[in-house]
Amino acid sequence: MIDKKVKLSVLGFSFNQTQSGTYGLVLAEEDGVRRLMVVVGTPEAQSIAFKLQNTSPPRPLTHDLFYSFISEWGIVLQEVLIYKYDNGIFYSKLMFKQGEKEISIESRTSDAIGIALRSKSPIYTTEEIMQKLAIVFSEGEDDIDNKEIVSGNDTTEYMDSYALLSEEELNSMLQEAIDNEDYELASVLRDEMDKRFNH
């Protein structure tokens, strides 16, 4: 019997103080209060950050390349399923369809989410995983009780995704924003660069 599926959305990143070089990607239950955190590496976090900010990297990243490839061949990513958690690792599958043919491919969860964001495909997990691993947030709940997944910043619950980008990527995006006269984005990027120089 297949466990009930729970639809998730990507909420943002949190600080992960336990593992250097990794970030906590926070997934939210659709129409619910439960949150699931998946630890992802820096390259995958940067790739996801670009999509969360609706910006394009200076050059196509691996997830962009993969999505372009399947799109050109008429392959549709129907959904991502985070189906298992074992020994600190989430296991995921990509469910593809090309014409009448359907195929399931094993994937790292970070890659699966990066591709799903580009193809606007739904992300699911099982009710069993949510019951075992999800953290419940109540409206108005004190952030201090949830230090493990919130940034502690008074102005924002989650870490700004631009913090994941390299100086070269920020410079390139800043120049592109100025060229496109997107001064609001340019201002945000300058603020991020100023923060780094001030530190």
Side-chain angles (χ1 to χ4, degrees):
M1 181 178 171
I2 298 174
D3 193 16
K4 178 188 170 188
K5 292 195 298 186
V6 178
K7 192 172 184 182
L8 302 170
S9 60
V10 180
L11 202 58
F13 289 95
S14 72
F15 291 111
N16 182 21
Q17 298 172 339
T18 58
Q19 290 178 261
S20 177
T22 63
Y23 299 88
L25 181 63
V26 184
L27 306 175
E29 175 184 25
E30 194 169 82
D31 301 322
V33 294
R34 295 181 294 180
R35 304 287 184 264
L36 192 67
M37 188 171 78
V38 178
V39 176
V40 301
T42 301
E44 294 77 23
Q46 289 175 334
S47 176
I48 291 168
F50 273 115
K51 291 311 294 182
L52 292 180
Q53 299 288 357
N54 289 317
T55 53
S56 299
R59 290 167 293 180
L61 302 174
T62 304
H63 296 153
D64 300 306
L65 180 63
F66 186 88
Y67 175 59
S68 296
F69 176 83
I70 64 172
S71 297
E72 286 297 319
W73 287 92
I75 301 169
V76 176
L77 176 57
Q78 293 185 296
E79 67 178 60
V80 163
L81 177 63
I82 304 169
Y83 70 92
K84 185 172 79 169
Y85 180 82
D86 183 44
N87 198 26
I89 297 172
F90 286 98
Y91 291 79
S92 296
K93 290 179 181 177
L94 296 162
M95 313 294 192
F96 292 106
K97 184 171 185 179
Q98 184 182 35
E100 297 300 312
K101 186 177 181 181
E102 295 185 3
I103 189 170
S104 170
I105 296 177
E106 189 76 18
S107 170
R108 292 192 307 173
T109 298
S110 55
D111 290 329
I113 292 172
I115 296 166
L117 287 174
R118 284 156 174 79
S119 59
K120 297 182 172 57
S121 305
I123 301 167
Y124 296 98
T125 191
T126 66
E127 178 61 31
E128 181 183 5
I129 286 175
M130 292 299 285
Q131 287 183 8
K132 288 181 178 178
L133 300 167
I135 296 171
V136 177
F137 272 69
S138 301
E139 233 178 280
E141 189 173 351
D142 190 351
D143 287 351
I144 294 172
D145 296 330
N146 301 289
K147 282 182 181 174
E148 65 269 27
I149 72 166
V150 297
S151 68
N153 188 314
D154 292 330
T155 57
T156 178
E157 188 177 11
Y158 297 105
M159 185 172 66
D160 186 347
S161 300
Y162 286 118
L164 298 168
L165 305 181
S166 70
E167 188 176 336
E168 180 189 354
E169 289 167 332
L170 285 170
N171 274 317
S172 177
M173 288 175 63
L174 176 59
Q175 188 57 55
E176 187 178 337
I178 293 170
D179 291 344
N180 294 331
E181 298 184 359
D182 188 347
Y183 299 117
E184 186 177 345
L185 174 59
S187 175
V188 172
L189 294 168
R190 278 201 191 96
D191 288 346
E192 175 58 35
M193 293 173 77
D194 288 343
K195 263 193 298 185
R196 296 190 190 188
F197 289 131
N198 290 337
H199 281 79

Short mmCIF file of all heavy atoms in Angstrom, two decimals, residues 78-128:
data_model
loop_
_atom_site.label_atom_id
_atom_site.label_comp_id
_atom_site.label_asym_id
_atom_site.label_seq_id
_atom_site.Cartn_x
_atom_site.Cartn_y
_atom_site.Cartn_z
N GLN A 78 6.82 14.88 -14.20
CA GLN A 78 5.47 14.91 -13.63
C GLN A 78 5.47 15.28 -12.15
O GLN A 78 4.60 16.02 -11.69
CB GLN A 78 4.79 13.55 -13.81
CG GLN A 78 4.51 13.21 -15.27
CD GLN A 78 3.73 11.92 -15.40
OE1 GLN A 78 4.21 10.85 -15.05
NE2 GLN A 78 2.52 12.03 -15.90
N GLU A 79 6.45 14.74 -11.42
CA GLU A 79 6.53 15.07 -10.00
C GLU A 79 7.85 14.58 -9.42
O GLU A 79 8.56 13.77 -10.02
CB GLU A 79 5.39 14.43 -9.21
CG GLU A 79 5.43 12.93 -9.16
CD GLU A 79 4.30 12.34 -8.32
OE1 GLU A 79 3.12 12.56 -8.66
OE2 GLU A 79 4.61 11.63 -7.34
N VAL A 80 8.17 15.11 -8.25
CA VAL A 80 9.29 14.64 -7.44
C VAL A 80 8.70 14.02 -6.19
O VAL A 80 7.78 14.59 -5.59
CB VAL A 80 10.23 15.81 -7.06
CG1 VAL A 80 11.13 15.43 -5.90
CG2 VAL A 80 11.06 16.23 -8.27
N LEU A 81 9.20 12.87 -5.80
CA LEU A 81 8.73 12.22 -4.58
C LEU A 81 9.90 11.94 -3.65
O LEU A 81 10.82 11.19 -4.00
CB LEU A 81 8.01 10.90 -4.91
CG LEU A 81 7.53 10.09 -3.69
CD1 LEU A 81 6.49 10.88 -2.89
CD2 LEU A 81 6.97 8.75 -4.11
N ILE A 82 9.87 12.56 -2.49
CA ILE A 82 10.84 12.26 -1.43
C ILE A 82 10.24 11.09 -0.67
O ILE A 82 9.31 11.27 0.12
CB ILE A 82 11.06 13.48 -0.52
CG1 ILE A 82 11.50 14.71 -1.35
CG2 ILE A 82 12.09 13.18 0.56
CD1 ILE A 82 11.48 16.01 -0.59
N TYR A 83 10.74 9.90 -0.93
CA TYR A 83 10.03 8.70 -0.49
C TYR A 83 10.64 7.97 0.70
O TYR A 83 9.99 7.11 1.30
CB TYR A 83 9.89 7.72 -1.66
CG TYR A 83 11.20 7.07 -2.08
CD1 TYR A 83 11.59 5.85 -1.54
CD2 TYR A 83 12.04 7.69 -3.00
CE1 TYR A 83 12.79 5.26 -1.93
CE2 TYR A 83 13.24 7.11 -3.38
CZ TYR A 83 13.61 5.89 -2.84
OH TYR A 83 14.79 5.32 -3.22
N LYS A 84 11.87 8.32 1.08
CA LYS A 84 12.51 7.58 2.17
C LYS A 84 13.52 8.46 2.90
O LYS A 84 14.12 9.35 2.32
CB LYS A 84 13.23 6.35 1.60
CG LYS A 84 13.82 5.43 2.68
CD LYS A 84 14.33 4.12 2.08
CE LYS A 84 15.68 4.28 1.42
NZ LYS A 84 16.31 3.00 1.05
N TYR A 85 13.68 8.18 4.19
CA TYR A 85 14.71 8.83 5.00
C TYR A 85 15.44 7.74 5.76
O TYR A 85 14.83 6.96 6.48
CB TYR A 85 14.07 9.82 5.98
CG TYR A 85 15.09 10.54 6.84
CD1 TYR A 85 15.77 11.65 6.37
CD2 TYR A 85 15.35 10.09 8.14
CE1 TYR A 85 16.71 12.31 7.16
CE2 TYR A 85 16.29 10.75 8.93
CZ TYR A 85 16.96 11.85 8.43
OH TYR A 85 17.88 12.50 9.21
N ASP A 86 16.76 7.67 5.56
CA ASP A 86 17.53 6.62 6.20
C ASP A 86 18.93 7.12 6.55
O ASP A 86 19.63 7.66 5.69
CB ASP A 86 17.63 5.41 5.27
CG ASP A 86 18.36 4.23 5.90
OD1 ASP A 86 18.09 3.92 7.09
OD2 ASP A 86 19.21 3.63 5.23
N ASN A 87 19.29 6.97 7.80
CA ASN A 87 20.64 7.33 8.25
C ASN A 87 21.02 8.77 7.88
O ASN A 87 22.12 9.05 7.40
CB ASN A 87 21.66 6.35 7.66
CG ASN A 87 22.98 6.37 8.41
OD1 ASN A 87 23.02 6.71 9.59
ND2 ASN A 87 24.06 6.03 7.73
N GLY A 88 20.08 9.68 8.08
CA GLY A 88 20.35 11.10 7.86
C GLY A 88 20.22 11.56 6.42
O GLY A 88 20.52 12.71 6.11
N ILE A 89 19.77 10.68 5.51
CA ILE A 89 19.69 11.03 4.09
C ILE A 89 18.26 10.85 3.58
O ILE A 89 17.62 9.82 3.84
CB ILE A 89 20.64 10.15 3.26
CG1 ILE A 89 22.09 10.41 3.68
CG2 ILE A 89 20.48 10.42 1.77
CD1 ILE A 89 23.09 9.46 3.05
N PHE A 90 17.78 11.85 2.84
CA PHE A 90 16.49 11.74 2.15
C PHE A 90 16.72 11.12 0.77
O PHE A 90 17.68 11.47 0.08
CB PHE A 90 15.84 13.11 1.96
CG PHE A 90 15.26 13.69 3.22
CD1 PHE A 90 15.97 14.60 3.98
CD2 PHE A 90 13.99 13.31 3.65
CE1 PHE A 90 15.45 15.14 5.15
CE2 PHE A 90 13.45 13.84 4.82
CZ PHE A 90 14.19 14.75 5.56
N TYR A 91 15.83 10.22 0.38
CA TYR A 91 15.90 9.59 -0.94
C TYR A 91 14.72 10.07 -1.78
O TYR A 91 13.58 10.15 -1.29
CB TYR A 91 15.84 8.06 -0.80
CG TYR A 91 17.09 7.48 -0.17
CD1 TYR A 91 17.28 7.52 1.21
CD2 TYR A 91 18.08 6.89 -0.95
CE1 TYR A 91 18.42 7.00 1.80
CE2 TYR A 91 19.23 6.36 -0.38
CZ TYR A 91 19.39 6.43 1.00
OH TYR A 91 20.52 5.91 1.57
N SER A 92 15.00 10.39 -3.05
CA SER A 92 13.97 10.94 -3.92
C SER A 92 13.94 10.27 -5.28
O SER A 92 14.95 9.70 -5.72
CB SER A 92 14.19 12.45 -4.10
OG SER A 92 14.06 13.13 -2.88
N LYS A 93 12.78 10.39 -5.92
CA LYS A 93 12.61 9.88 -7.28
C LYS A 93 12.04 10.98 -8.16
O LYS A 93 11.22 11.79 -7.72
CB LYS A 93 11.65 8.69 -7.30
CG LYS A 93 12.20 7.44 -6.66
CD LYS A 93 11.17 6.31 -6.70
CE LYS A 93 11.71 5.05 -6.03
NZ LYS A 93 10.69 3.98 -6.00
N LEU A 94 12.51 11.00 -9.41
CA LEU A 94 11.95 11.88 -10.43
C LEU A 94 11.03 11.04 -11.30
O LEU A 94 11.43 10.00 -11.81
CB LEU A 94 13.08 12.47 -11.29
CG LEU A 94 14.07 13.39 -10.59
CD1 LEU A 94 15.33 13.54 -11.42
CD2 LEU A 94 13.46 14.74 -10.30
N MET A 95 9.78 11.47 -11.44
CA MET A 95 8.81 10.74 -12.25
C MET A 95 8.64 11.45 -13.60
O MET A 95 8.08 12.55 -13.66
CB MET A 95 7.45 10.68 -11.54
CG MET A 95 7.55 10.27 -10.08
SD MET A 95 8.12 8.59 -9.85
CE MET A 95 7.75 8.34 -8.10
N PHE A 96 9.14 10.84 -14.67
CA PHE A 96 9.11 11.44 -16.00
C PHE A 96 8.07 10.78 -16.90
O PHE A 96 7.72 9.61 -16.71
CB PHE A 96 10.48 11.28 -16.69
CG PHE A 96 11.57 12.09 -16.05
CD1 PHE A 96 12.56 11.47 -15.29
CD2 PHE A 96 11.64 13.46 -16.22
CE1 PHE A 96 13.58 12.20 -14.72
CE2 PHE A 96 12.66 14.20 -15.64
CZ PHE A 96 13.64 13.57 -14.89
N LYS A 97 7.63 11.55 -17.90
CA LYS A 97 6.73 11.01 -18.91
C LYS A 97 7.14 11.56 -20.27
O LYS A 97 7.36 12.76 -20.43
CB LYS A 97 5.27 11.37 -18.62
CG LYS A 97 4.30 10.73 -19.61
CD LYS A 97 2.86 10.91 -19.17
CE LYS A 97 1.92 10.17 -20.11
NZ LYS A 97 0.51 10.30 -19.69
N GLN A 98 7.25 10.67 -21.26
CA GLN A 98 7.51 11.06 -22.65
C GLN A 98 6.53 10.30 -23.51
O GLN A 98 6.65 9.08 -23.67
CB GLN A 98 8.95 10.75 -23.06
CG GLN A 98 9.29 11.24 -24.47
CD GLN A 98 10.71 10.87 -24.87
OE1 GLN A 98 11.20 9.81 -24.49
NE2 GLN A 98 11.36 11.73 -25.63
N GLY A 99 5.55 11.01 -24.04
CA GLY A 99 4.48 10.33 -24.79
C GLY A 99 3.70 9.41 -23.86
O GLY A 99 3.21 9.83 -22.82
N GLU A 100 3.65 8.13 -24.22
CA GLU A 100 2.95 7.16 -23.38
C GLU A 100 3.87 6.49 -22.37
O GLU A 100 3.41 5.72 -21.51
CB GLU A 100 2.30 6.08 -24.27
CG GLU A 100 1.22 6.61 -25.21
CD GLU A 100 0.08 7.27 -24.45
OE1 GLU A 100 -0.41 6.65 -23.48
OE2 GLU A 100 -0.30 8.40 -24.81
N LYS A 101 5.16 6.76 -22.47
CA LYS A 101 6.13 6.08 -21.61
C LYS A 101 6.36 6.85 -20.32
O LYS A 101 6.57 8.06 -20.33
CB LYS A 101 7.46 5.91 -22.37
CG LYS A 101 8.49 5.10 -21.61
CD LYS A 101 9.76 4.92 -22.46
CE LYS A 101 10.80 4.09 -21.72
NZ LYS A 101 12.04 3.92 -22.51
N GLU A 102 6.32 6.13 -19.20
CA GLU A 102 6.60 6.73 -17.90
C GLU A 102 7.79 6.02 -17.27
O GLU A 102 7.94 4.81 -17.40
CB GLU A 102 5.38 6.61 -16.98
CG GLU A 102 4.19 7.42 -17.47
CD GLU A 102 3.02 7.39 -16.49
OE1 GLU A 102 3.19 6.78 -15.40
OE2 GLU A 102 1.98 7.97 -16.80
N ILE A 103 8.63 6.79 -16.61
CA ILE A 103 9.83 6.21 -16.01
C ILE A 103 10.14 6.93 -14.71
O ILE A 103 9.90 8.13 -14.57
CB ILE A 103 11.03 6.28 -16.98
CG1 ILE A 103 12.22 5.49 -16.42
CG2 ILE A 103 11.42 7.72 -17.27
CD1 ILE A 103 13.35 5.29 -17.41
N SER A 104 10.67 6.18 -13.73
CA SER A 104 11.05 6.73 -12.44
C SER A 104 12.56 6.61 -12.31
O SER A 104 13.14 5.55 -12.54
CB SER A 104 10.37 5.94 -11.31
OG SER A 104 10.91 6.30 -10.06
N ILE A 105 13.24 7.73 -11.94
CA ILE A 105 14.70 7.76 -11.82
C ILE A 105 15.09 8.22 -10.43
O ILE A 105 14.56 9.23 -9.93
CB ILE A 105 15.32 8.69 -12.89
CG1 ILE A 105 15.05 8.13 -14.29
CG2 ILE A 105 16.81 8.85 -12.66
CD1 ILE A 105 15.57 9.02 -15.40
N GLU A 106 16.01 7.50 -9.82
CA GLU A 106 16.51 7.86 -8.49
C GLU A 106 17.33 9.14 -8.59
O GLU A 106 18.05 9.36 -9.57
CB GLU A 106 17.38 6.72 -7.97
CG GLU A 106 17.79 6.86 -6.52
CD GLU A 106 16.68 6.54 -5.54
OE1 GLU A 106 15.69 5.88 -5.94
OE2 GLU A 106 16.79 6.97 -4.38
N SER A 107 17.24 10.00 -7.57
CA SER A 107 17.94 11.28 -7.60
C SER A 107 18.29 11.73 -6.20
O SER A 107 17.60 11.38 -5.23
CB SER A 107 17.05 12.33 -8.27
OG SER A 107 17.58 13.63 -8.12
N ARG A 108 19.37 12.51 -6.09
CA ARG A 108 19.60 13.22 -4.83
C ARG A 108 18.45 14.21 -4.66
O ARG A 108 17.97 14.82 -5.63
CB ARG A 108 20.92 13.98 -4.87
CG ARG A 108 22.15 13.10 -4.91
CD ARG A 108 23.42 13.90 -4.66
NE ARG A 108 23.52 15.04 -5.57
CZ ARG A 108 24.46 15.99 -5.48
NH1 ARG A 108 25.35 15.93 -4.51
NH2 ARG A 108 24.50 16.98 -6.35
N THR A 109 18.02 14.39 -3.43
CA THR A 109 16.87 15.26 -3.17
C THR A 109 17.15 16.70 -3.59
O THR A 109 16.28 17.37 -4.16
CB THR A 109 16.49 15.19 -1.69
OG1 THR A 109 16.10 13.83 -1.38
CG2 THR A 109 15.33 16.11 -1.36
N SER A 110 18.36 17.18 -3.36
CA SER A 110 18.70 18.56 -3.74
C SER A 110 18.60 18.75 -5.25
O SER A 110 18.09 19.78 -5.73
CB SER A 110 20.11 18.92 -3.25
OG SER A 110 21.06 17.99 -3.73
N ASP A 111 19.07 17.77 -6.03
CA ASP A 111 18.98 17.86 -7.49
C ASP A 111 17.53 17.80 -7.94
O ASP A 111 17.11 18.53 -8.84
CB ASP A 111 19.77 16.73 -8.15
CG ASP A 111 21.28 16.91 -8.00
OD1 ASP A 111 21.73 18.06 -7.95
OD2 ASP A 111 21.99 15.89 -7.94
N ALA A 112 16.77 16.90 -7.33
CA ALA A 112 15.36 16.74 -7.69
C ALA A 112 14.60 18.04 -7.48
O ALA A 112 13.81 18.46 -8.33
CB ALA A 112 14.73 15.61 -6.86
N ILE A 113 14.86 18.71 -6.38
CA ILE A 113 14.17 19.97 -6.08
C ILE A 113 14.63 21.07 -7.03
O ILE A 113 13.81 21.85 -7.54
CB ILE A 113 14.39 20.38 -4.61
CG1 ILE A 113 13.67 19.39 -3.69
CG2 ILE A 113 13.90 21.81 -4.36
CD1 ILE A 113 13.97 19.56 -2.22
N GLY A 114 15.94 21.13 -7.32
CA GLY A 114 16.45 22.12 -8.26
C GLY A 114 15.81 22.01 -9.63
O GLY A 114 15.47 23.01 -10.27
N ILE A 115 15.62 20.78 -10.10
CA ILE A 115 15.00 20.55 -11.42
C ILE A 115 13.50 20.82 -11.35
O ILE A 115 12.93 21.42 -12.27
CB ILE A 115 15.29 19.12 -11.89
CG1 ILE A 115 16.80 18.93 -12.11
CG2 ILE A 115 14.54 18.81 -13.19
CD1 ILE A 115 17.23 17.49 -12.25
N ALA A 116 12.87 20.40 -10.26
CA ALA A 116 11.42 20.62 -10.11
C ALA A 116 11.07 22.11 -10.12
O ALA A 116 10.05 22.51 -10.69
CB ALA A 116 10.92 19.98 -8.81
N LEU A 117 11.91 22.93 -9.51
CA LEU A 117 11.65 24.37 -9.51
C LEU A 117 11.70 24.94 -10.92
O LEU A 117 10.92 25.84 -11.28
CB LEU A 117 12.68 25.09 -8.63
CG LEU A 117 12.52 24.91 -7.12
CD1 LEU A 117 13.69 25.55 -6.38
CD2 LEU A 117 11.21 25.51 -6.63
N ARG A 118 12.61 24.43 -11.74
CA ARG A 118 12.74 24.92 -13.11
C ARG A 118 11.58 24.46 -13.99
O ARG A 118 11.14 25.18 -14.88
CB ARG A 118 14.08 24.47 -13.69
CG ARG A 118 15.23 25.30 -13.15
CD ARG A 118 16.57 24.59 -13.20
NE ARG A 118 17.65 25.50 -12.80
CZ ARG A 118 17.92 25.81 -11.54
NH1 ARG A 118 17.24 25.26 -10.55
NH2 ARG A 118 18.91 26.66 -11.26
N SER A 119 11.08 23.26 -13.75
CA SER A 119 9.99 22.73 -14.58
C SER A 119 8.62 23.00 -13.96
O SER A 119 7.59 22.61 -14.51
CB SER A 119 10.17 21.22 -14.77
OG SER A 119 10.17 20.55 -13.52
N LYS A 120 8.63 23.68 -12.79
CA LYS A 120 7.39 23.98 -12.07
C LYS A 120 6.59 22.70 -11.78
O LYS A 120 5.35 22.68 -11.89
CB LYS A 120 6.54 25.00 -12.83
CG LYS A 120 7.21 26.35 -13.00
CD LYS A 120 6.33 27.34 -13.73
CE LYS A 120 6.91 28.74 -13.72
NZ LYS A 120 8.23 28.88 -14.28
N SER A 121 7.31 21.65 -11.46
CA SER A 121 6.69 20.36 -11.16
C SER A 121 6.41 20.24 -9.66
O SER A 121 7.15 20.79 -8.85
CB SER A 121 7.62 19.22 -11.59
OG SER A 121 7.96 19.35 -12.95
N PRO A 122 5.36 19.52 -9.28
CA PRO A 122 5.04 19.37 -7.86
C PRO A 122 6.06 18.51 -7.12
O PRO A 122 6.67 17.61 -7.70
CB PRO A 122 3.66 18.70 -7.87
CG PRO A 122 3.59 18.00 -9.19
CD PRO A 122 4.37 18.84 -10.15
N ILE A 123 6.24 18.82 -5.85
CA ILE A 123 7.15 18.08 -4.97
C ILE A 123 6.31 17.44 -3.87
O ILE A 123 5.50 18.13 -3.22
CB ILE A 123 8.21 19.01 -4.36
CG1 ILE A 123 9.03 19.68 -5.47
CG2 ILE A 123 9.12 18.25 -3.41
CD1 ILE A 123 9.88 20.85 -4.97
N TYR A 124 6.50 16.15 -3.66
CA TYR A 124 5.74 15.42 -2.64
C TYR A 124 6.67 14.67 -1.71
O TYR A 124 7.81 14.36 -2.06
CB TYR A 124 4.80 14.39 -3.28
CG TYR A 124 3.72 14.96 -4.14
CD1 TYR A 124 3.87 15.01 -5.53
CD2 TYR A 124 2.53 15.42 -3.60
CE1 TYR A 124 2.87 15.52 -6.34
CE2 TYR A 124 1.51 15.93 -4.40
CZ TYR A 124 1.70 15.98 -5.77
OH TYR A 124 0.71 16.49 -6.57
N THR A 125 6.18 14.37 -0.52
CA THR A 125 6.80 13.40 0.35
C THR A 125 5.70 12.52 0.92
O THR A 125 4.53 12.68 0.56
CB THR A 125 7.63 14.07 1.47
OG1 THR A 125 8.41 13.07 2.12
CG2 THR A 125 6.75 14.77 2.49
N THR A 126 6.06 11.60 1.79
CA THR A 126 5.05 10.70 2.35
C THR A 126 4.57 11.22 3.70
O THR A 126 5.29 11.94 4.40
CB THR A 126 5.60 9.28 2.53
OG1 THR A 126 6.64 9.32 3.53
CG2 THR A 126 6.18 8.75 1.22
N GLU A 127 3.38 10.82 4.06
CA GLU A 127 2.84 11.19 5.37
C GLU A 127 3.71 10.61 6.48
O GLU A 127 3.92 11.24 7.52
CB GLU A 127 1.40 10.68 5.50
CG GLU A 127 0.75 10.98 6.84
CD GLU A 127 0.63 12.47 7.15
OE1 GLU A 127 0.48 13.28 6.21
OE2 GLU A 127 0.70 12.82 8.35
N GLU A 128 4.25 9.43 6.26
CA GLU A 128 5.12 8.80 7.26
C GLU A 128 6.35 9.65 7.54
O GLU A 128 6.72 9.85 8.70
CB GLU A 128 5.56 7.41 6.78
CG GLU A 128 6.45 6.67 7.77
CD GLU A 128 6.94 5.34 7.26
OE1 GLU A 128 6.69 5.01 6.08
OE2 GLU A 128 7.60 4.62 8.03
#
